[in-house]
Amino acid sequence: MTSSKQALAQPAPSADAAPGSKPGAAGGAHGRGTPPPGSSSWRSRLYRWDMKASPYAFIAPFFIIFGAFGLIPLLYTAWYSLHDVQLASLDHQTWAGLDNYKNLWSSDFFWNALKNTFTIGLISTVPQLLMAIAIAHLLNYRLRGSTVWRVVMLTPYATSVAAATLVFTLLYSWDGGMINWLLHFVGVDPINWRESDWGSQFAVSSIVIWRWTGYNALIYLAAMQAIPTDLYESAALDGANRWQQFRHVTIPMLRPTILFTVVVSTIGATQLFGEPLLFGGLSGSKGGSGHQFQTLGLYMYDQGWIIGNLGKASAIAWSMFLILLIVAVINLLLTRRLRKSQ
Amino acid sequence: MRTSTRRSRRLGALAAVAALTTGLLAGCASDSKDKGSSDGGGGGGKGTTTLTIGTFGVFGYKQAGLYDEYMKLHPNISIKENVTTKTDVYWPKTLTRLQAGSGTDDIQAIEVGNVTEAVQTQADKFVDLGKEVDKSQWLDWKLAQATTKDGKTIALGTDIGPMAICYRKDLFEKAGLETDRTKLAAQWKGDWSKYVALGKEYMKKAPSGTKFVDSASSVYNAALGGESQRYYDKDGNVIWDKSTGVKSAWNNAMTVATSNMSAKLKQFEDPWNKAFSNATFATVACPAWMIGYIEEKSGDSGKGKWDVAAAPTAANWGGSFIGVPTAGKHQKEAIALAKWLTAPEQQAKVFAKQASFPSTPSAYASLKPLADTTAYFSNAPIAQIFSDSAKTIPTQYFGTKDQPIGTAITDVGILQVEQKGKTPAQGWSAATNEIKDVLGQ
């Protein structure tokens, strides 16, 4: 930033340096061309100023918007998290110090939500990525109508969370839902998908898996198609079969992509909100009667907007932020090790 | 992540596009939910002044044609209704807008569970409507709920929810029970436990696939609606764990939850809606606003099979208010509209269409449900039954966290016993933990 400040400061004295020269459209018009020789002239200063300041001007909209809608709310949330703030009286904030955080530390609901976020994240991310690789591998073969298949893969992702969850909720309905009806034929007793501990987490995960597998598959597919074919040819010459080619050529070449999808999915899993909220029905923010599928996102929503305790909700938001930072650091370390091993 | 340049660049572009679409799609998805309902205003649009009214759920004003009627009477006014389907979305949104002093509608609806919070924390954000109307029109307790300690009335009562029991006559007959509505009412009069006891009778010879009642929570809410002690005392102290009302309603709900007489549904969710048309439960606690609901969800198959009997005790469940925020741009016009909408004549019209019960007693003498509705409920004297209940409802005190406490008891405590097979003691302690979390204890 310092260099731009200097650049900004410079034009001021230049005003009297070249009183005669017209600061007109001409100067701006070929400002990007070769600077005229006499370097101390006003025009060249303008040129230099333009070169230095313009990039900042062009990227400014993002940072201004990020500041207004990202940074300020973030800092304001931090401020809230140190106060006792009720939704119904936002103007009356009383200093609470770290009470909200201490409260979370000793709250069963918070740890429960953290645990659920982790387990739901695990049972949704792992199968999702494995399936995505398998599907991408299949799509990578020469297929008739391959574009159709690829578009179809993306449709679940294009469906809104609300629509998808509504359908799944009906499928998982314990009384008259299709899944229990199918289980009945295999001789399994109906499962109360929403109220059972593992059943509900499985159900929520299945919605996530359904929505995101195709998306990840397409990313893998794009990366697979960038793998040079001669690698496969030489592997085939060495006598490697399809499976061996997949294991020893495709997977290693996909490693950076896999890492990318793992990071994106992990962030998505940490912020999981819409699916469990809608799956839970009318009191969805509780995540079931025993909080069995309440994620951190839901717990924050419940505290802030249902119970109206914005201070505590802010503390949860910041805890989530810190958890994501830790995840990012772990990811960074993994990436480094991976690169070294290559 | 930097490998060969061409690939990583392509991958980068793909990732960027993917990330962008994620944002866009997510934006669309979260917005689209309420959009459908928001633009269902009163039509018109010719007037010079547009008044907006923010409501939740089905308020019945549009259905009863009140907006069109008012616009005909006042050609310079046009009315637009902004509906948010879910109360738990509507209320936080309204609270933040009130405090920001912008974005509120000219008239805002307030649910009975939130009215105390509004009175205690938002009174300066509302116009004192007490000065504008004849306060004696309203039931005393209804008016008191929206009035501050220093006598400022921040909102006018719309409907109330006097209680009855709606029951399937055909199922009662098959189970060998009394089907006459007055004799039935006499059997359980005075005590909800008698109603629950009849449930045990019903289950002995229940038609296959049917239960006595839709859910234990509905019995809890109905019974609590007749108690004078709820979660708060009249000074605003929270007393839920000592409240005699909560205890007796809880005990009745526990009998229901542990004795196989409940269909174990959650009210207002899809399976519950479907159960009406499949006739899988025989009775449902029936505040006046439930009448229209049953008629809609049971459909033609239920016509003439439903009947209405007086509830064990006079009770109230639900009901709303409308207030005029001081932040509104057209206060004078909004006050006039709010007055008109809540006047006894208009409340009677909403009852005729939607069976939402008036909070103004002078309307009671002239109440007439639609002929369709009367036929649907076996010619039961609906207006009479609800009026009788409305007149003897005890005064109840609500608190700022009334709704979350209620949800903790029904959707955690009762549901754990009903659907997860926990014992009543376990359910109670789960609800206790939850309420402590709600109250920040």
Side-chain angles (χ1 to χ4, degrees), chain B residues 72-146:
Chain B
K72 227 173 254 170
L73 291 171
H74 302 82
N76 62 327
I77 302 275
S78 76
I79 302 170
K80 190 174 172 299
E81 188 179 58
N82 295 324
V83 187
T84 306
T85 323
K86 291 175 72 185
T87 328
D88 60 355
V89 177
Y90 170 83
W91 186 239
K93 197 167 73 184
T94 307
L95 270 183
T96 45
R97 285 177 180 177
L98 281 173
Q99 292 175 80
S102 75
T104 57
D105 291 309
D106 293 302
I107 295 178
Q108 292 283 180
I110 306 170
E111 219 261 341
V112 62
N114 303 122
V115 77
T116 312
E117 189 172 28
V119 163
Q120 288 183 8
T121 63
Q122 312 296 319
D124 54 333
K125 305 285 195 298
F126 282 99
V127 172
D128 184 0
L129 292 170
K131 291 178 191 153
E132 313 281 342
V133 294
D134 173 13
K135 289 201 250 185
S136 65
Q137 291 177 85
W138 278 270
L139 290 164
D140 292 340
W141 56 266
K142 183 77 176 175
L143 187 81
Q145 281 174 350

Side-chain angles (χ1 to χ4, degrees), chain A residues 87-88 90 194 291 307, chain B residues 1 99 122 266 269 401 434:
Chain A
L87 181 63
L90 292 172
R194 189 157 74 189
H291 297 252
I307 296 172
Chain B
M1 242 188 257
Q99 292 175 80
Q122 312 296 319
K266 250 178 112 179
E269 289 189 350
K401 301 270 186 197
E434 189 77 26

Side-chain angles (χ1 to χ4, degrees), chain B residues 38-308:
Chain B
S38 65
D39 51 22
K46 285 163 284 177
T48 48
T49 308
T50 304
L51 292 178
T52 57
I53 171 164
T55 63
F56 46 84
V58 178
F59 245 66
Y61 289 154
K62 199 176 95 192
Q63 288 79 354
L66 291 189
Y67 298 142
D68 288 332
E69 197 182 333
Y70 192 77
M71 284 187 278
K72 227 173 254 170
L73 291 171
H74 302 82
N76 62 327
I77 302 275
S78 76
I79 302 170
K80 190 174 172 299
E81 188 179 58
N82 295 324
V83 187
T84 306
T85 323
K86 291 175 72 185
T87 328
D88 60 355
V89 177
Y90 170 83
W91 186 239
K93 197 167 73 184
T94 307
L95 270 183
T96 45
R97 285 177 180 177
L98 281 173
Q99 292 175 80
S102 75
T104 57
D105 291 309
D106 293 302
I107 295 178
Q108 292 283 180
I110 306 170
E111 219 261 341
V112 62
N114 303 122
V115 77
T116 312
E117 189 172 28
V119 163
Q120 288 183 8
T121 63
Q122 312 296 319
D124 54 333
K125 305 285 195 298
F126 282 99
V127 172
D128 184 0
L129 292 170
K131 291 178 191 153
E132 313 281 342
V133 294
D134 173 13
K135 289 201 250 185
S136 65
Q137 291 177 85
W138 278 270
L139 290 164
D140 292 340
W141 56 266
K142 183 77 176 175
L143 187 81
Q145 281 174 350
T147 305
T148 62
K149 272 182 189 150
D150 47 2
K152 181 179 175 185
T153 303
I154 64 158
L156 300 175
T158 58
D159 61 322
I160 57 172
M163 192 72 62
I165 302 284
C166 292
Y167 64 101
R168 296 274 307 208
K169 226 169 35 177
D170 54 332
L171 296 183
F172 265 49
E173 198 173 342
K174 280 183 198 154
L177 295 180
E178 180 61 60
T179 56
D180 180 76
R181 65 180 81 88
T182 35
K183 285 182 192 158
L184 205 52
Q187 281 185 14
W188 60 50
K189 189 176 169 53
D191 199 338
W192 284 88
S193 65
K194 292 185 192 162
Y195 164 75
V196 175
L198 193 78
K200 287 184 179 159
E201 283 302 303
Y202 178 88
M203 290 317 293
K204 280 179 195 157
K205 283 205 278 175
S208 73
T210 70
K211 302 282 180 184
F212 181 65
V213 67
D214 60 335
S215 68
S217 295
S218 89
V219 174
Y220 173 82
N221 280 327
L224 189 67
E227 299 287 346
S228 48
Q229 254 191 9
R230 286 171 60 95
Y231 308 126
Y232 287 81
D233 66 14
K234 69 174 174 211
D235 301 317
N237 303 312
V238 62
I239 51 155
W240 68 277
D241 49 348
K242 298 184 278 285
S243 159
T244 52
V246 171
K247 236 168 240 167
S248 95
W250 170 267
N251 289 338
N252 282 322
M254 283 304 107
T255 318
V256 173
T258 53
S259 61
N260 193 35
M261 66 168 83
S262 155
K264 300 184 182 181
L265 296 161
K266 250 178 112 179
Q267 289 202 318
F268 302 104
E269 289 189 350
D270 267 329
W272 185 69
N273 291 339
K274 268 192 270 167
F276 274 111
S277 51
N278 298 339
T280 52
F281 53 79
T283 68
V284 60
C286 203
W289 44 261
M290 191 78 91
I291 291 282
Y293 208 92
I294 294 175
E295 205 179 332
E296 186 192 324
K297 298 297 173 195
S298 284
D300 287 338
S301 67
K303 191 167 183 172
K305 290 175 181 156
W306 283 97
D307 206 329
V308 185

